[in-house]
Amino acid sequence: SSLNLSQLSGDGQFAGLTSAQIGSLSSIAIGQITASNAEAMTSAQMSTISAAKAPYLHSSAIAALTPSAFAGLNPKAIAALTTTSSGVVATQQIQAITGAQAATLTSAHIKGLSENQVGSLTVDALLSLTPAAIKAVPVAAFDNINSTVFSQLSSAQIAAITPAQFAIMTANQLSQVASDQAAAISSLQIKGLDATDIASLTSDAI
């Protein structure tokens, strides 16, 4: 008989599975991984979950992963995570990413995200992105970022925004840039803005 993953607890049994065993699990079995199982998973185990199987991870399991284990997911697996429910595929995986997990995302992880995925990242996750990760957000997806994030970004994060990303920012996003962030904005970043965009920036941010 086959092993039911729900019978394994997160206090050691699941962690005892080898990376090869995790990698050999079917998509359905991946979908059976519980939050308790996920708490015990390692980076090496997560690295064996393919892009085809990653969408089957339950959102509660994703949220339960330690930051180091989450970082084990390869870029293609991250890019395959879902924002909505689709049949048996897990629901709202991107929304389940915690701030601590988001801080581990590399440029390679971020550049593969779609517009919907970027728009589904929580404020906590977005604020935890490194400057390098922010710079890697696809230009076409940059205007999908929650506008309330911009007033809370650090100077280093603001400085990391590329001119191309800056040019696609919405009026609402630009209006959130606070005066104390102005010093981090370069002339090169503003160069691509039109008159309407400039008007959206607060006077202190110009």
Side-chain angles (χ1 to χ4, degrees):
S1 61
S2 61
L3 177 67
N4 186 333
L5 296 185
S6 64
Q7 294 173 330
L8 296 179
S9 67
D11 60 3
Q13 289 178 310
F14 200 83
L17 294 179
T18 66
S19 297
Q21 287 173 317
I22 294 291
S24 68
L25 294 175
S26 68
S27 296
I28 298 303
I30 291 294
Q32 294 175 344
I33 294 175
T34 66
S36 179
N37 295 153
E39 288 175 353
M41 293 189 75
T42 66
S43 175
Q45 288 175 321
M46 293 303 298
S47 70
T48 64
I49 295 179
S50 68
K53 295 176 183 178
Y56 290 83
L57 280 167
H58 197 279
S59 56
S60 63
I62 289 177
L65 291 168
T66 65
S68 61
F70 180 81
L73 282 168
N74 66 63
K76 289 184 178 180
I78 293 287
L81 297 181
T82 62
T83 58
T84 57
S85 179
S86 176
V88 297
V89 176
T91 304
Q92 301 181 331
Q93 293 172 312
I94 291 291
Q95 292 93 320
I97 296 174
T98 67
Q101 291 170 336
T104 70
L105 292 173
T106 65
S107 298
H109 287 128
I110 293 295
K111 70 181 182 182
L113 297 183
S114 69
E115 294 178 39
N116 284 339
Q117 288 174 316
V118 171
S120 296
L121 287 168
T122 65
V123 170
D124 188 37
L126 288 164
L127 291 176
S128 299
L129 294 176
T130 65
I134 287 178
K135 184 178 291 187
V137 173
V139 171
F142 207 77
D143 59 351
N144 278 32
I145 292 176
N146 188 318
S147 60
T148 62
V149 166
F150 289 92
S151 65
Q152 303 175 64
L153 292 176
S154 68
S155 294
Q157 289 171 317
I158 289 288
I161 298 173
T162 68
Q165 290 170 331
F166 221 95
I168 202 174
M169 286 173 66
T170 67
N172 196 27
Q173 287 174 328
L174 289 168
S175 69
Q176 297 298 312
V177 178
S179 58
D180 61 356
Q181 298 168 310
I185 300 174
S186 70
S187 58
L188 184 61
Q189 286 172 310
I190 294 179
K191 190 174 181 179
L193 301 181
D194 58 27
T196 301
D197 293 331
I198 291 292
S200 297
L201 283 168
T202 61
S203 59
D204 289 338
I206 299 176

PDB file of all heavy atoms in Angstrom, residues 147-175:
ATOM      1  N   SER A 147      -0.047  49.998  -4.277  1.00  0.00           N
ATOM      2  CA  SER A 147       0.448  51.374  -4.200  1.00  0.00           C
ATOM      3  C   SER A 147       0.839  51.801  -2.792  1.00  0.00           C
ATOM      4  O   SER A 147       1.729  52.643  -2.612  1.00  0.00           O
ATOM      5  CB  SER A 147      -0.599  52.346  -4.755  1.00  0.00           C
ATOM      6  OG  SER A 147      -1.799  52.271  -4.013  1.00  0.00           O
ATOM      7  N   THR A 148       0.214  51.214  -1.773  1.00  0.00           N
ATOM      8  CA  THR A 148       0.519  51.617  -0.396  1.00  0.00           C
ATOM      9  C   THR A 148       1.933  51.235   0.019  1.00  0.00           C
ATOM     10  O   THR A 148       2.450  51.740   1.015  1.00  0.00           O
ATOM     11  CB  THR A 148      -0.479  50.990   0.594  1.00  0.00           C
ATOM     12  OG1 THR A 148      -0.381  49.557   0.536  1.00  0.00           O
ATOM     13  CG2 THR A 148      -1.910  51.404   0.265  1.00  0.00           C
ATOM     14  N   VAL A 149       2.548  50.354  -0.768  1.00  0.00           N
ATOM     15  CA  VAL A 149       3.905  49.908  -0.454  1.00  0.00           C
ATOM     16  C   VAL A 149       4.919  51.040  -0.618  1.00  0.00           C
ATOM     17  O   VAL A 149       5.877  51.157   0.155  1.00  0.00           O
ATOM     18  CB  VAL A 149       4.305  48.727  -1.376  1.00  0.00           C
ATOM     19  CG1 VAL A 149       5.809  48.468  -1.328  1.00  0.00           C
ATOM     20  CG2 VAL A 149       3.544  47.477  -0.983  1.00  0.00           C
ATOM     21  N   PHE A 150       4.708  51.891  -1.604  1.00  0.00           N
ATOM     22  CA  PHE A 150       5.736  52.845  -1.997  1.00  0.00           C
ATOM     23  C   PHE A 150       6.106  53.857  -0.913  1.00  0.00           C
ATOM     24  O   PHE A 150       7.257  54.276  -0.817  1.00  0.00           O
ATOM     25  CB  PHE A 150       5.326  53.542  -3.298  1.00  0.00           C
ATOM     26  CG  PHE A 150       5.406  52.626  -4.484  1.00  0.00           C
ATOM     27  CD1 PHE A 150       4.296  51.899  -4.882  1.00  0.00           C
ATOM     28  CD2 PHE A 150       6.599  52.446  -5.166  1.00  0.00           C
ATOM     29  CE1 PHE A 150       4.369  51.019  -5.959  1.00  0.00           C
ATOM     30  CE2 PHE A 150       6.685  51.561  -6.241  1.00  0.00           C
ATOM     31  CZ  PHE A 150       5.568  50.849  -6.636  1.00  0.00           C
ATOM     32  N   SER A 151       5.162  54.228  -0.088  1.00  0.00           N
ATOM     33  CA  SER A 151       5.478  55.182   0.978  1.00  0.00           C
ATOM     34  C   SER A 151       6.277  54.542   2.102  1.00  0.00           C
ATOM     35  O   SER A 151       6.806  55.238   2.968  1.00  0.00           O
ATOM     36  CB  SER A 151       4.188  55.779   1.552  1.00  0.00           C
ATOM     37  OG  SER A 151       3.408  54.777   2.186  1.00  0.00           O
ATOM     38  N   GLN A 152       6.371  53.210   2.069  1.00  0.00           N
ATOM     39  CA  GLN A 152       7.061  52.486   3.140  1.00  0.00           C
ATOM     40  C   GLN A 152       8.394  51.887   2.711  1.00  0.00           C
ATOM     41  O   GLN A 152       9.114  51.320   3.532  1.00  0.00           O
ATOM     42  CB  GLN A 152       6.147  51.363   3.664  1.00  0.00           C
ATOM     43  CG  GLN A 152       4.793  51.842   4.159  1.00  0.00           C
ATOM     44  CD  GLN A 152       3.890  50.674   4.541  1.00  0.00           C
ATOM     45  OE1 GLN A 152       4.185  49.918   5.472  1.00  0.00           O
ATOM     46  NE2 GLN A 152       2.794  50.496   3.817  1.00  0.00           N
ATOM     47  N   LEU A 153       8.738  52.021   1.440  1.00  0.00           N
ATOM     48  CA  LEU A 153       9.996  51.460   0.963  1.00  0.00           C
ATOM     49  C   LEU A 153      11.177  52.218   1.562  1.00  0.00           C
ATOM     50  O   LEU A 153      11.103  53.423   1.801  1.00  0.00           O
ATOM     51  CB  LEU A 153      10.065  51.540  -0.567  1.00  0.00           C
ATOM     52  CG  LEU A 153       9.106  50.656  -1.367  1.00  0.00           C
ATOM     53  CD1 LEU A 153       9.252  50.934  -2.859  1.00  0.00           C
ATOM     54  CD2 LEU A 153       9.351  49.169  -1.084  1.00  0.00           C
ATOM     55  N   SER A 154      12.263  51.502   1.770  1.00  0.00           N
ATOM     56  CA  SER A 154      13.478  52.141   2.289  1.00  0.00           C
ATOM     57  C   SER A 154      14.142  52.943   1.176  1.00  0.00           C
ATOM     58  O   SER A 154      13.822  52.786  -0.017  1.00  0.00           O
ATOM     59  CB  SER A 154      14.449  51.077   2.796  1.00  0.00           C
ATOM     60  OG  SER A 154      14.953  50.314   1.701  1.00  0.00           O
ATOM     61  N   SER A 155      15.075  53.782   1.540  1.00  0.00           N
ATOM     62  CA  SER A 155      15.802  54.570   0.545  1.00  0.00           C
ATOM     63  C   SER A 155      16.527  53.652  -0.437  1.00  0.00           C
ATOM     64  O   SER A 155      16.567  53.925  -1.642  1.00  0.00           O
ATOM     65  CB  SER A 155      16.811  55.487   1.239  1.00  0.00           C
ATOM     66  OG  SER A 155      16.142  56.456   2.017  1.00  0.00           O
ATOM     67  N   ALA A 156      17.090  52.556   0.070  1.00  0.00           N
ATOM     68  CA  ALA A 156      17.797  51.617  -0.797  1.00  0.00           C
ATOM     69  C   ALA A 156      16.849  50.952  -1.796  1.00  0.00           C
ATOM     70  O   ALA A 156      17.212  50.728  -2.961  1.00  0.00           O
ATOM     71  CB  ALA A 156      18.490  50.551   0.047  1.00  0.00           C
ATOM     72  N   GLN A 157      15.632  50.645  -1.343  1.00  0.00           N
ATOM     73  CA  GLN A 157      14.642  50.034  -2.232  1.00  0.00           C
ATOM     74  C   GLN A 157      14.178  51.041  -3.294  1.00  0.00           C
ATOM     75  O   GLN A 157      14.015  50.688  -4.464  1.00  0.00           O
ATOM     76  CB  GLN A 157      13.453  49.519  -1.422  1.00  0.00           C
ATOM     77  CG  GLN A 157      13.767  48.286  -0.582  1.00  0.00           C
ATOM     78  CD  GLN A 157      12.625  47.929   0.365  1.00  0.00           C
ATOM     79  OE1 GLN A 157      12.038  48.805   0.994  1.00  0.00           O
ATOM     80  NE2 GLN A 157      12.325  46.648   0.464  1.00  0.00           N
ATOM     81  N   ILE A 158      13.956  52.288  -2.889  1.00  0.00           N
ATOM     82  CA  ILE A 158      13.552  53.330  -3.836  1.00  0.00           C
ATOM     83  C   ILE A 158      14.639  53.536  -4.882  1.00  0.00           C
ATOM     84  O   ILE A 158      14.377  53.638  -6.086  1.00  0.00           O
ATOM     85  CB  ILE A 158      13.277  54.665  -3.104  1.00  0.00           C
ATOM     86  CG1 ILE A 158      11.987  54.580  -2.280  1.00  0.00           C
ATOM     87  CG2 ILE A 158      13.196  55.825  -4.109  1.00  0.00           C
ATOM     88  CD1 ILE A 158      10.701  54.560  -3.086  1.00  0.00           C
ATOM     89  N   ALA A 159      15.881  53.598  -4.427  1.00  0.00           N
ATOM     90  CA  ALA A 159      17.007  53.806  -5.339  1.00  0.00           C
ATOM     91  C   ALA A 159      17.173  52.661  -6.329  1.00  0.00           C
ATOM     92  O   ALA A 159      17.747  52.850  -7.411  1.00  0.00           O
ATOM     93  CB  ALA A 159      18.289  53.999  -4.537  1.00  0.00           C
ATOM     94  N   ALA A 160      16.675  51.483  -5.971  1.00  0.00           N
ATOM     95  CA  ALA A 160      16.830  50.305  -6.827  1.00  0.00           C
ATOM     96  C   ALA A 160      15.834  50.281  -7.984  1.00  0.00           C
ATOM     97  O   ALA A 160      16.023  49.546  -8.955  1.00  0.00           O
ATOM     98  CB  ALA A 160      16.671  49.030  -6.002  1.00  0.00           C
ATOM     99  N   ILE A 161      14.774  51.082  -7.896  1.00  0.00           N
ATOM    100  CA  ILE A 161      13.769  51.110  -8.967  1.00  0.00           C
ATOM    101  C   ILE A 161      14.429  51.621 -10.247  1.00  0.00           C
ATOM    102  O   ILE A 161      15.048  52.683 -10.265  1.00  0.00           O
ATOM    103  CB  ILE A 161      12.576  52.013  -8.578  1.00  0.00           C
ATOM    104  CG1 ILE A 161      11.879  51.471  -7.322  1.00  0.00           C
ATOM    105  CG2 ILE A 161      11.573  52.112  -9.732  1.00  0.00           C
ATOM    106  CD1 ILE A 161      10.796  52.396  -6.783  1.00  0.00           C
ATOM    107  N   THR A 162      14.304  50.868 -11.317  1.00  0.00           N
ATOM    108  CA  THR A 162      14.948  51.252 -12.572  1.00  0.00           C
ATOM    109  C   THR A 162      14.154  52.361 -13.268  1.00  0.00           C
ATOM    110  O   THR A 162      12.952  52.535 -13.009  1.00  0.00           O
ATOM    111  CB  THR A 162      15.054  50.058 -13.529  1.00  0.00           C
ATOM    112  OG1 THR A 162      13.727  49.691 -13.967  1.00  0.00           O
ATOM    113  CG2 THR A 162      15.711  48.861 -12.852  1.00  0.00           C
ATOM    114  N   PRO A 163      14.794  53.134 -14.160  1.00  0.00           N
ATOM    115  CA  PRO A 163      14.056  54.155 -14.909  1.00  0.00           C
ATOM    116  C   PRO A 163      12.855  53.580 -15.658  1.00  0.00           C
ATOM    117  O   PRO A 163      11.798  54.212 -15.734  1.00  0.00           O
ATOM    118  CB  PRO A 163      15.120  54.703 -15.881  1.00  0.00           C
ATOM    119  CG  PRO A 163      16.403  54.528 -15.135  1.00  0.00           C
ATOM    120  CD  PRO A 163      16.255  53.199 -14.433  1.00  0.00           C
ATOM    121  N   ALA A 164      13.014  52.381 -16.219  1.00  0.00           N
ATOM    122  CA  ALA A 164      11.907  51.747 -16.955  1.00  0.00           C
ATOM    123  C   ALA A 164      10.746  51.415 -16.021  1.00  0.00           C
ATOM    124  O   ALA A 164       9.570  51.577 -16.382  1.00  0.00           O
ATOM    125  CB  ALA A 164      12.401  50.488 -17.653  1.00  0.00           C
ATOM    126  N   GLN A 165      11.064  50.939 -14.806  1.00  0.00           N
ATOM    127  CA  GLN A 165      10.023  50.646 -13.816  1.00  0.00           C
ATOM    128  C   GLN A 165       9.363  51.943 -13.357  1.00  0.00           C
ATOM    129  O   GLN A 165       8.140  52.016 -13.215  1.00  0.00           O
ATOM    130  CB  GLN A 165      10.628  49.917 -12.608  1.00  0.00           C
ATOM    131  CG  GLN A 165      11.082  48.500 -12.881  1.00  0.00           C
ATOM    132  CD  GLN A 165      11.883  47.921 -11.724  1.00  0.00           C
ATOM    133  OE1 GLN A 165      12.547  48.646 -10.984  1.00  0.00           O
ATOM    134  NE2 GLN A 165      11.846  46.602 -11.560  1.00  0.00           N
ATOM    135  N   PHE A 166      10.183  52.961 -13.134  1.00  0.00           N
ATOM    136  CA  PHE A 166       9.670  54.255 -12.678  1.00  0.00           C
ATOM    137  C   PHE A 166       8.685  54.819 -13.699  1.00  0.00           C
ATOM    138  O   PHE A 166       7.643  55.389 -13.350  1.00  0.00           O
ATOM    139  CB  PHE A 166      10.839  55.232 -12.477  1.00  0.00           C
ATOM    140  CG  PHE A 166      10.707  56.085 -11.249  1.00  0.00           C
ATOM    141  CD1 PHE A 166      11.315  55.692 -10.065  1.00  0.00           C
ATOM    142  CD2 PHE A 166       9.998  57.275 -11.266  1.00  0.00           C
ATOM    143  CE1 PHE A 166      11.210  56.465  -8.917  1.00  0.00           C
ATOM    144  CE2 PHE A 166       9.886  58.056 -10.126  1.00  0.00           C
ATOM    145  CZ  PHE A 166      10.489  57.662  -8.946  1.00  0.00           C
ATOM    146  N   ALA A 167       9.007  54.657 -14.983  1.00  0.00           N
ATOM    147  CA  ALA A 167       8.191  55.226 -16.052  1.00  0.00           C
ATOM    148  C   ALA A 167       6.815  54.582 -16.152  1.00  0.00           C
ATOM    149  O   ALA A 167       5.866  55.216 -16.645  1.00  0.00           O
ATOM    150  CB  ALA A 167       8.926  55.093 -17.386  1.00  0.00           C
ATOM    151  N   ILE A 168       6.700  53.332 -15.684  1.00  0.00           N
ATOM    152  CA  ILE A 168       5.411  52.642 -15.797  1.00  0.00           C
ATOM    153  C   ILE A 168       4.560  52.777 -14.539  1.00  0.00           C
ATOM    154  O   ILE A 168       3.404  52.372 -14.499  1.00  0.00           O
ATOM    155  CB  ILE A 168       5.629  51.143 -16.138  1.00  0.00           C
ATOM    156  CG1 ILE A 168       4.369  50.554 -16.785  1.00  0.00           C
ATOM    157  CG2 ILE A 168       6.041  50.349 -14.907  1.00  0.00           C
ATOM    158  CD1 ILE A 168       4.549  49.134 -17.290  1.00  0.00           C
ATOM    159  N   MET A 169       5.119  53.376 -13.478  1.00  0.00           N
ATOM    160  CA  MET A 169       4.365  53.546 -12.236  1.00  0.00           C
ATOM    161  C   MET A 169       3.107  54.371 -12.456  1.00  0.00           C
ATOM    162  O   MET A 169       3.098  55.329 -13.240  1.00  0.00           O
ATOM    163  CB  MET A 169       5.245  54.199 -11.165  1.00  0.00           C
ATOM    164  CG  MET A 169       6.290  53.271 -10.576  1.00  0.00           C
ATOM    165  SD  MET A 169       7.473  54.103  -9.455  1.00  0.00           S
ATOM    166  CE  MET A 169       6.352  54.589  -8.098  1.00  0.00           C
ATOM    167  N   THR A 170       2.037  53.986 -11.796  1.00  0.00           N
ATOM    168  CA  THR A 170       0.767  54.699 -11.930  1.00  0.00           C
ATOM    169  C   THR A 170       0.805  55.992 -11.120  1.00  0.00           C
ATOM    170  O   THR A 170       1.661  56.186 -10.258  1.00  0.00           O
ATOM    171  CB  THR A 170      -0.397  53.836 -11.426  1.00  0.00           C
ATOM    172  OG1 THR A 170      -0.263  53.648 -10.001  1.00  0.00           O
ATOM    173  CG2 THR A 170      -0.418  52.479 -12.103  1.00  0.00           C
ATOM    174  N   ALA A 171      -0.157  56.876 -11.400  1.00  0.00           N
ATOM    175  CA  ALA A 171      -0.248  58.133 -10.657  1.00  0.00           C
ATOM    176  C   ALA A 171      -0.437  57.867  -9.173  1.00  0.00           C
ATOM    177  O   ALA A 171       0.132  58.574  -8.322  1.00  0.00           O
ATOM    178  CB  ALA A 171      -1.410  58.969 -11.202  1.00  0.00           C
ATOM    179  N   ASN A 172      -1.217  56.841  -8.851  1.00  0.00           N
ATOM    180  CA  ASN A 172      -1.468  56.500  -7.448  1.00  0.00           C
ATOM    181  C   ASN A 172      -0.194  56.024  -6.772  1.00  0.00           C
ATOM    182  O   ASN A 172       0.094  56.373  -5.625  1.00  0.00           O
ATOM    183  CB  ASN A 172      -2.563  55.438  -7.353  1.00  0.00           C
ATOM    184  CG  ASN A 172      -3.130  55.316  -5.944  1.00  0.00           C
ATOM    185  OD1 ASN A 172      -3.103  56.271  -5.166  1.00  0.00           O
ATOM    186  ND2 ASN A 172      -3.651  54.153  -5.605  1.00  0.00           N
ATOM    187  N   GLN A 173       0.587  55.218  -7.473  1.00  0.00           N
ATOM    188  CA  GLN A 173       1.852  54.731  -6.919  1.00  0.00           C
ATOM    189  C   GLN A 173       2.815  55.902  -6.691  1.00  0.00           C
ATOM    190  O   GLN A 173       3.434  56.019  -5.628  1.00  0.00           O
ATOM    191  CB  GLN A 173       2.492  53.714  -7.865  1.00  0.00           C
ATOM    192  CG  GLN A 173       1.793  52.360  -7.906  1.00  0.00           C
ATOM    193  CD  GLN A 173       2.377  51.443  -8.963  1.00  0.00           C
ATOM    194  OE1 GLN A 173       2.841  51.893 -10.016  1.00  0.00           O
ATOM    195  NE2 GLN A 173       2.362  50.139  -8.715  1.00  0.00           N
ATOM    196  N   LEU A 174       2.932  56.774  -7.685  1.00  0.00           N
ATOM    197  CA  LEU A 174       3.852  57.907  -7.583  1.00  0.00           C
ATOM    198  C   LEU A 174       3.465  58.850  -6.449  1.00  0.00           C
ATOM    199  O   LEU A 174       4.338  59.398  -5.764  1.00  0.00           O
ATOM    200  CB  LEU A 174       3.880  58.675  -8.905  1.00  0.00           C
ATOM    201  CG  LEU A 174       4.565  57.969 -10.081  1.00  0.00           C
ATOM    202  CD1 LEU A 174       4.264  58.685 -11.385  1.00  0.00           C
ATOM    203  CD2 LEU A 174       6.070  57.898  -9.863  1.00  0.00           C
ATOM    204  N   SER A 175       2.168  59.008  -6.239  1.00  0.00           N
ATOM    205  CA  SER A 175       1.709  59.935  -5.199  1.00  0.00           C
ATOM    206  C   SER A 175       2.038  59.438  -3.802  1.00  0.00           C
ATOM    207  O   SER A 175       1.989  60.202  -2.836  1.00  0.00           O
ATOM    208  CB  SER A 175       0.202  60.165  -5.326  1.00  0.00           C
ATOM    209  OG  SER A 175      -0.526  58.985  -4.979  1.00  0.00           O
TER     210      SER A 175
END
